[in-house]
């Protein structure tokens, strides 16, 4: 396998994963290996124009760094949260970065003079986990990111489904508890209103009443549950049961081989995976049970996925999928 171009210079992709607080950035080889990484604050409070300026500056800086190192930057991949129109390369809407209809693909393409792809952060994270990480070799993968919200990517043979309107994978808005708390989307009882990391912390504080001083994180609830605290155990089990309901619906729709769990809540590891496997098993009737595993790429998944998306757009798929 050669990563070189016609002149023998090694090719790299400039990759950025833009989040609400920080940007993870890298130079990624066509085989999916990051050979240089950088982090920069997003500082979204400056407003979208300033954030866009930083994205373009950082991307250009990475391309310059590649050339200075004797590498050939051949494409740019950018991942952003919110609603993304991948076909048009537009960041349609993002609450935590402040984007509204930003033609980020064309802006970056014009600035760097390189083919550019724009993707949704969870969807490209799923792409990376399916092709390079915990879902490798599974063929049909559902990647579920459980953090402030819950979103998923359905990846089939290394390609993430976009949906007709770019909104596939909104598993966080499956209704699992009709009488449950109201979701940010306006409906009651959505999965992310019951089982996201923020929902778990909120629920614990609500049941503990005045007996907690300040916010309790989902990670702390997980720790307290593991240590045998009854209230934490109850809150954790409620979240597990709701997640199992959501994943069972996902399995009925997609029949995947592997479900990869990422995001903050998945850092509880076996404290989440073990009871969730049991709860999911109880819900399987004729459906085949998926393998349930923790994500392997950590917070680099979005950046690596952005690079894969850019390579895909160029028709380059050099990395070996470990089947
Ligand atoms: Zn909702």
């Amino acid at each position: 396998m050669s990563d070189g171009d016609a002149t023998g210079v090694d090719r790299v992709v400039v990759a950025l994963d833009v989040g609400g607080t920080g940007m993870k950035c890298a130079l990624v080889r066509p085989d999916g290996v990051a050979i240089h990484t950088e982090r920069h604050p997003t500082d979204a409070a400056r407003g979208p124009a300033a954030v866009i300026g930083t994205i373009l500056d950082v991307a250009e800086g990475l391309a310059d760094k590649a050339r200075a190192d004797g590498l050939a930057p051949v494409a740019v991949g950018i991942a952003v949260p919110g609603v993304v129109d991948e076909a048009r390369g537009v960041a349609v809407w993002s609450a935590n970065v402040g984007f509204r209809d930003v033609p980020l693909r064309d802006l970056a393409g014009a600035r760097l003079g390189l083919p550019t792809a724009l993707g949704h952060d969870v969807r490209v994270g799923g792409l990376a986990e399916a092709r390079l990480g915990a879902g490798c070799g599974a063929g049909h993968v559902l990647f579920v990111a459980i953090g402030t919200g819950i979103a998923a990517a359905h990846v089939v043979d290394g390609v993430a489904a976009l949906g007709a309107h770019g909104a596939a994978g909104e598993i966080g808005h499956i209704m699992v508890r009709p009488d449950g708390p109201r979701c940010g989307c306006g409906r009651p009882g959505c999965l992310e209103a019951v089982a996201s990391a923020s929902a778990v912390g909120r629920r614990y504080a609500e049941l503990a009443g005045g007996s907690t001083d300040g916010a309790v994180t989902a990670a702390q609830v997980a720790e307290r549950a593991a240590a045998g605290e009854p209230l934490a155990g109850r809150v954790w089990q409620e979240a597990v049961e709701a997640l199992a309901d959501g994943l069972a619906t996902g399995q009925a729709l997609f029949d995947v081989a592997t479900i990869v769990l990422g995001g903050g809540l998945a850092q509880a590891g076996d404290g989440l995976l073990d009871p969730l496997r049991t709860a999911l098993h109880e819900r399987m009737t004729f459906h085949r049970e998926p393998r349930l595993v923790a994500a392997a790429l950590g917070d680099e998944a979005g950046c690596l996925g952005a690079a894969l998306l850019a390579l895909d757009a160029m028709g380059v798929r050099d990395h070996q999928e470990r089947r």
Side-chain angles (χ1 to χ4, degrees):
M1 180 179 72
S2 169
D3 288 343
D5 65 10
T7 59
V9 178
D10 283 343
R11 298 175 301 174
V12 287
V13 177
V14 172
L16 287 83
D17 177 16
V18 180
T21 53
M23 302 180 193
K24 292 139 211 157
C25 316
L27 294 173
V28 181
R29 290 195 321 221
D31 63 357
V33 175
I35 54 170
H36 169 77
T37 59
E38 293 179 7
R39 294 194 179 221
H40 300 271
T42 302
D43 203 1
R46 297 174 300 152
V51 174
I52 293 161
T54 302
I55 291 170
L56 299 178
D57 289 347
V58 167
E60 192 169 43
L62 280 163
D64 289 345
K65 154 101 183 131
R67 291 188 193 98
D69 290 351
L71 304 166
V74 292
V76 182
I78 303 174
V80 295
V83 180
V84 180
D85 184 335
E86 284 191 14
R88 293 194 303 128
V90 174
V92 176
W93 179 84
S94 163
N96 46 5
V97 188
F99 290 154
R100 292 210 183 254
D101 292 318
V102 178
L104 206 46
R105 182 188 65 194
D106 290 350
L107 289 173
R111 173 79 168 264
L112 279 86
L114 294 171
T116 302
L118 182 72
H120 178 263
D121 58 353
V122 173
R123 206 173 291 138
V124 299
L127 202 61
E129 285 291 348
R131 278 159 60 172
L132 306 168
C136 217
H140 294 245
V141 175
L142 188 67
F143 171 69
V144 183
I146 311 168
T148 318
I150 298 179
H154 180 214
V155 184
V156 178
D157 295 334
V159 178
L162 292 172
H165 314 92
E170 291 287 2
I171 197 171
H173 302 282
I174 290 176
M175 184 185 279
V176 292
R177 299 289 178 268
D179 54 353
R182 193 161 293 276
C183 178
C185 78
R187 297 183 82 206
C190 287
L191 180 59
E192 78 172 38
V194 181
S196 64
S198 26
V200 168
R202 208 163 46 227
R203 177 70 171 152
Y204 182 88
E206 176 190 311
L207 290 179
S211 64
T212 69
D213 41 354
V216 179
T217 65
Q220 287 167 328
V221 174
E223 277 169 27
R224 292 177 193 191
E229 187 196 294
L231 178 60
R234 174 186 160 187
V235 170
W236 193 247
Q237 193 57 31
E238 279 180 10
V240 163
E241 298 289 337
L243 280 172
D245 285 333
L247 295 184
T249 299
Q251 186 62 0
L253 292 172
F254 302 130
D255 181 32
V256 295
T258 300
I259 296 177
V260 179
L261 295 185
L265 207 71
Q267 283 168 14
D270 289 342
L272 176 65
L273 289 169
D274 288 345
L276 190 52
R277 274 192 201 103
T278 303
L280 187 57
H281 179 78
E282 287 166 357
R283 287 158 174 78
M284 296 290 107
T285 54
F286 63 90
H287 293 108
R288 293 287 296 275
E289 199 170 327
R291 203 165 64 98
L292 191 62
V293 295
L297 302 174
D299 66 4
E300 274 198 26
C303 201
L304 294 174
L308 294 179
L309 195 68
L311 290 165
D312 288 354
M314 297 178 69
V316 176
R317 199 189 272 197
D318 279 7
H319 65 278
Q320 303 294 305
E321 276 151 49
R322 284 156 267 168
R323 283 169 191 273

